[in-house]
Amino acid sequence: MRKKRFSHANPSIGIRDVARHAGVSPMTVSRALREPDKVSAEMRRRVEDTVHQIGYLRNRIAGSLSSNRSNVVGLILPSVHNSLFAHTVQGISDVLRTSGHHLMIADSGYSLADEEEAIDAFLQQRVCGMVLHNTKHTERTRALIGRGGVPVVEIGNLTPHPLDTTVSYSNYEASRTMTLHLARLGYRRIGFVTLPLQDNERSIERRRGYLAALAELGMREDPRLVLEMPPGIGSGAEAIVRLVEIDGGLDAVFFAGDVLVVGAAVECHRRGWAVPARVAIATFDDLDILRYISPTITSVRIPRYEIGKRSAELLLDRANGSSTERQSVDLKFEIIQREST
Amino acid sequence: MRKKRFSHANPSIGIRDVARHAGVSPMTVSRALREPDKVSAEMRRRVEDTVHQIGYLRNRIAGSLSSNRSNVVGLILPSVHNSLFAHTVQGISDVLRTSGHHLMIADSGYSLADEEEAIDAFLQQRVCGMVLHNTKHTERTRALIGRGGVPVVEIGNLTPHPLDTTVSYSNYEASRTMTLHLARLGYRRIGFVTLPLQDNERSIERRRGYLAALAELGMREDPRLVLEMPPGIGSGAEAIVRLVEIDGGLDAVFFAGDVLVVGAAVECHRRGWAVPARVAIATFDDLDILRYISPTITSVRIPRYEIGKRSAELLLDRANGSSTERQSVDLKFEIIQREST
DNA sequence: TTGTAAGCGTTATCAC
DNA sequence: GTGATAACGCTTACAA
């Protein structure tokens, strides 16, 4: 016997209502909606008609509980705000949409503790998989994911010890390669501007790549030529001025990310410093604008959309059990040589 | 008698396990976790300890089904990719995080049909509210929302006939005001570059505002001075060239959104067209970069972060029943006068 | 303050 | 191909 509960404000139309109206069992309705092939053509039509008639809306919450499966993927970004991630999110979103999945986004505010909290929350929501931009995590995060039984893809860096699967590129190699590229072009005193290093494996790896290149080249590392700056256009402008003023011999600066280089380019223009004659500049992240401003700016191109796409694909493969192996997919990078170097 | 289902791969730890270990009833565990105040201090501690010990993870799916409440908000954007939305998403995200809610994002690809599909999906997921950027919708979308019983906030335009609540600014007024501003500065032949108008109330309203201003000023509307262009930097460059070449008397161009104006600025610089002497330029959306490039660019400033924040706040008020009235909140805009005009 | 019983709306299982 | 039944893991309502 079913009792009515008073609390439910929304006595919404359920699968049994559809069943009653169509004169079939709830189970048949459920089948007709989820696996139309396992139901006779006529039955399918009858159910679909009834659904439209009475305006039935499937309850995925109930479905998920019953089937112990969900169609929601969680994504954790250092910052929702940062437009660099937009391409990656689009890649993920595009894949999920075509397979009937949904995307939940949280930001970790560049803090490992916040990431942990977000992961905990996602696990409580029983997401079917997670994409993490970070590759550094708290102990408890690793523990949670370890026993969570939920597939995870890390995308910020091709880390040597992934939690599970990783789809990315090597920040170390990209940074090293660009530095070598600058040296090959003849630059001898190369400055480096990094984003905050705290808890950020990507920044740390980029700096490591820069230093490795210097070592290979037999160039002496000079701490005064390495600046740690917050993100932002103004930050890049400030950085180029400080570097040039510290060292008259400086002939190139590599900006390790964000829009720093845009500020630098503008500032050079403003001060009449010829680029690349007076100082060459290069950057990570092939922002659209780099191709348009004058001089056009040399950069590392990262396949951000592709990273989103592939990571979502692999995640879904793992989530539906069609693949069980952990992978490390290296999507590489390119050096785009332009006028600024 | 409870039968075991064979299908469940993850015989995860449930609330009854916690209850057993702690020597209390499941109900008490539930209370201790959701409403700690309604439980004795000692009981609270005992439950919390047990939770940590056995590694229990709340199942929100089950909770939502049972309570007929959810803590997930759905957001539908024309394009996830577009970085202009980043501020708004951040505003929403910040509010949701502090109140224990989650954000699900879908994109409608600038198509009303896709928006409808996304809304249908969100409703199936039983979101507790939705934020829509679009203000134009299909019939069925309106019907779905009408009977959905789920609060909705529209944010793209302060539309006169909102589905429910709206938090935005008037695209019409902003565009009109900027056009009047240009006229007041002495410009007499003002071109207008709009983003695609198809199904986009924002673009349509902006053009309407421009035309209204011309009428007020007694300036004749010239269809050749109105260009509809796709978004993108290159698009803006192309537009300025076409407009200047069409009409030698043109003395200003108002770019109605996106990064169009950046392309225009760069192109003017490249061709040696003095800004604003040869042609003045202005735009919607106070992108960071507009303050840095030379000349700095006049723009409409829209409180994007604030729109996200306020819309999330109102949505939650509606969702938890603490407010039942539909509102139209006008967050206004500002004209930022800079060197380009 | 704590416990008991019933049910949230669906799906897995197994029988027909 | 279709249906009956028992869960899924939690919360509501009410009793103690």
Side-chain angles (χ1 to χ4, degrees):
Chain A
M1 188 175 102
R2 295 177 83 80
K3 270 202 205 153
K4 263 259 130 58
R5 283 218 287 202
F6 298 77
S7 60
H8 286 180
N10 235 11
S12 63
I13 301 163
I15 209 171
R16 43 211 317 148
D17 300 291
V18 181
R20 190 159 3 89
H21 279 257
V24 297
S25 80
M27 199 53 233
T28 301
V29 175
S30 178
R31 277 201 199 91
L33 263 27
R34 287 178 306 131
E35 323 166 281
D37 302 339
K38 296 200 172 176
V39 129
S40 72
E42 198 238 306
M43 183 57 75
R44 204 180 313 145
R45 251 186 39 80
R46 181 142 50 117
V47 169
E48 280 166 4
D49 288 353
T50 313
V51 164
H52 284 129
Q53 253 175 55
I54 70 175
Y56 166 67
L57 247 164
R58 268 174 84 177
N59 185 332
R60 302 270 190 171
I61 299 272
S64 291
L65 176 60
S66 183
S67 66
N68 195 31
R69 254 178 283 129
S70 109
N71 60 344
V72 176
V73 167
L75 168 67
I76 302 179
L77 259 20
S79 153
V80 171
H81 174 105
N82 193 322
S83 53
L84 285 177
F85 302 131
H87 286 94
T88 305
V89 176
Q90 187 77 51
I92 295 172
S93 172
D94 286 353
V95 171
L96 295 187
R97 183 154 50 147
T98 64
S99 64
H101 286 76
H102 293 280
L103 182 61
M104 234 150 113
I105 299 190
D107 66 291
S108 60
Y110 292 98
S111 130
L112 300 191
D114 285 0
E115 184 192 59
E116 177 183 308
E117 208 175 303
I119 287 175
D120 192 83
F122 278 163
L123 257 15
Q124 294 193 21
Q125 299 284 348
R126 296 300 190 267
V127 295
C128 66
M130 291 188 283
V131 179
L132 310 181
H133 194 84
N134 271 357
T135 44
K136 185 156 192 276
H137 315 284
T138 65
E139 261 317 305
R140 181 155 172 272
T141 295
R142 295 190 165 269
L144 273 172
I145 289 174
R147 67 175 138 78
V150 169
V152 169
V153 180
E154 289 163 282
I155 61 172
N157 185 48
L158 201 69
T159 178
H161 304 297
L163 290 165
D164 178 344
T165 284
T166 169
V167 175
S168 192
Y169 65 96
S170 166
N171 282 270
Y172 168 81
E173 283 301 340
S175 186
R176 176 176 159 273
T177 305
M178 175 61 92
T179 308
L180 293 175
H181 174 79
L182 292 174
R184 201 174 320 116
L185 292 174
Y187 299 105
R188 301 267 69 99
R189 261 186 99 60
I190 304 169
F192 185 78
V193 183
T194 173
L195 295 168
L197 297 158
Q198 169 79 34
D199 287 339
N200 189 330
E201 193 179 45
R202 304 177 293 288
S203 294
I204 292 169
E205 286 295 288
R206 290 178 189 183
R207 186 180 55 175
R208 200 167 67 83
Y210 160 76
L211 295 175
L214 291 192
E216 284 176 52
L217 294 161
M219 292 178 174
R220 248 213 21 243
E221 157 186 353
D222 183 342
R224 291 172 313 158
L225 299 191
V226 176
L227 241 47
E228 182 175 343
M229 300 291 286
I233 295 180
S235 201
E238 184 187 335
I240 190 85
V241 173
R242 279 174 52 188
L243 284 174
V244 166
E245 289 181 347
I246 282 168
D247 188 328
L250 181 97
D251 54 10
V253 178
F254 178 19
F255 292 86
D258 195 64
V259 291
L260 294 170
V261 79
V262 176
V266 166
E267 189 66 21
C268 286
H269 186 265
R270 214 170 65 79
R271 298 192 173 228
W273 294 347
V275 174
R278 171 70 187 81
V279 61
I281 57 181
T283 188
F284 245 83
D285 286 318
D286 188 25
L287 306 172
D288 235 15
I289 193 171
L290 304 187
R291 306 200 324 259
Y292 291 98
I293 58 181
S294 174
T296 56
I297 296 178
T298 295
S299 81
V300 178
R301 169 135 63 208
I302 297 157
R304 296 210 175 265
Y305 179 84
E306 193 66 20
I307 288 175
K309 186 160 169 290
R310 292 280 286 136
S311 60
E313 287 167 353
L314 286 183
L315 194 65
L316 295 185
D317 284 352
R318 297 288 312 279
N320 66 27
S322 71
S323 158
T324 173
E325 61 176 327
R326 301 165 168 221
Q327 300 186 45
S328 277
V329 180
D330 186 349
L331 257 22
K332 311 291 188 186
F333 56 85
E334 295 171 74
I335 301 291
I336 312 290
Q337 163 62 21
R338 296 208 183 87
E339 298 163 1
S340 71
T341 54
Chain B
M1 190 174 102
R2 295 175 84 81
K3 270 202 206 156
K4 261 260 134 53
R5 285 217 286 203
F6 298 75
S7 60
H8 287 177
N10 236 10
S12 63
I13 302 163
I15 207 171
R16 44 209 318 149
D17 300 293
V18 181
R20 192 159 1 90
H21 280 257
V24 298
S25 79
M27 197 52 234
T28 301
V29 175
S30 178
R31 275 201 201 92
L33 263 27
R34 286 178 306 129
E35 323 166 280
D37 302 339
K38 297 200 171 175
V39 127
S40 71
E42 198 237 310
M43 182 60 74
R44 204 180 313 146
R45 251 185 40 80
R46 181 144 47 122
V47 169
E48 280 165 4
D49 288 352
T50 313
V51 163
H52 284 128
Q53 252 174 57
I54 69 175
Y56 167 68
L57 246 161
R58 266 174 86 176
N59 186 332
R60 301 274 189 166
I61 298 273
S64 291
L65 176 60
S66 183
S67 66
N68 195 30
R69 256 179 282 128
S70 107
N71 60 343
V72 176
V73 167
L75 168 66
I76 302 181
L77 259 19
S79 152
V80 171
H81 174 105
N82 195 323
S83 53
L84 284 176
F85 302 131
H87 286 94
T88 306
V89 176
Q90 187 77 52
I92 295 173
S93 173
D94 285 353
V95 172
L96 295 188
R97 184 153 50 146
T98 63
S99 65
H101 286 76
H102 293 280
L103 182 61
M104 233 147 116
I105 299 190
D107 66 290
S108 60
Y110 292 97
S111 132
L112 300 191
D114 285 1
E115 184 193 60
E116 178 184 309
E117 208 175 303
I119 287 174
D120 192 85
F122 277 162
L123 258 15
Q124 294 193 21
Q125 300 284 350
R126 297 298 191 268
V127 295
C128 65
M130 291 189 283
V131 179
L132 311 180
H133 195 85
N134 272 355
T135 44
K136 186 157 192 273
H137 315 283
T138 65
E139 261 318 305
R140 181 155 173 272
T141 295
R142 293 188 166 271
L144 273 171
I145 289 173
R147 66 176 138 79
V150 170
V152 169
V153 180
E154 288 163 283
I155 60 172
N157 186 47
L158 201 68
T159 179
H161 304 296
L163 289 165
D164 178 344
T165 284
T166 171
V167 176
S168 192
Y169 64 96
S170 166
N171 282 270
Y172 168 82
E173 282 302 340
S175 186
R176 176 177 158 273
T177 305
M178 176 61 93
T179 308
L180 294 176
H181 175 78
L182 293 174
R184 202 173 319 117
L185 293 174
Y187 301 103
R188 301 267 71 97
R189 262 185 97 60
I190 303 169
F192 185 78
V193 183
T194 173
L195 294 169
L197 296 158
Q198 168 79 33
D199 287 340
N200 189 330
E201 192 177 47
R202 302 177 294 287
S203 294
I204 291 169
E205 286 295 287
R206 290 177 190 184
R207 186 181 54 177
R208 201 167 68 82
Y210 161 75
L211 295 174
L214 291 192
E216 284 175 52
L217 295 161
M219 292 179 174
R220 247 213 19 243
E221 157 186 353
D222 183 342
R224 291 174 313 160
L225 297 191
V226 176
L227 243 45
E228 182 176 345
M229 300 292 285
I233 294 179
S235 202
E238 184 187 335
I240 190 84
V241 173
R242 280 173 52 189
L243 284 174
V244 166
E245 288 180 348
I246 282 168
D247 187 325
L250 181 98
D251 54 11
V253 179
F254 178 20
F255 292 86
D258 194 66
V259 291
L260 293 169
V261 79
V262 176
V266 167
E267 189 66 21
C268 286
H269 186 264
R270 214 171 64 79
R271 298 193 173 228
W273 293 348
V275 175
R278 170 69 188 82
V279 61
I281 57 182
T283 188
F284 246 84
D285 285 317
D286 188 25
L287 306 171
D288 234 15
I289 192 171
L290 304 186
R291 306 200 324 257
Y292 290 98
I293 58 181
S294 172
T296 55
I297 296 178
T298 295
S299 81
V300 178
R301 167 136 62 209
I302 298 156
R304 297 212 174 264
Y305 179 84
E306 194 66 20
I307 288 175
K309 185 159 170 292
R310 290 282 285 138
S311 59
E313 286 167 354
L314 285 183
L315 195 64
L316 294 185
D317 284 351
R318 297 289 312 279
N320 67 28
S322 72
S323 158
T324 174
E325 62 176 325
R326 302 166 167 220
Q327 300 187 46
S328 278
V329 180
D330 186 349
L331 256 25
K332 310 292 187 188
F333 56 86
E334 294 171 76
I335 302 290
I336 312 290
Q337 162 63 22
R338 297 208 183 88
E339 298 163 1
S340 71
T341 53

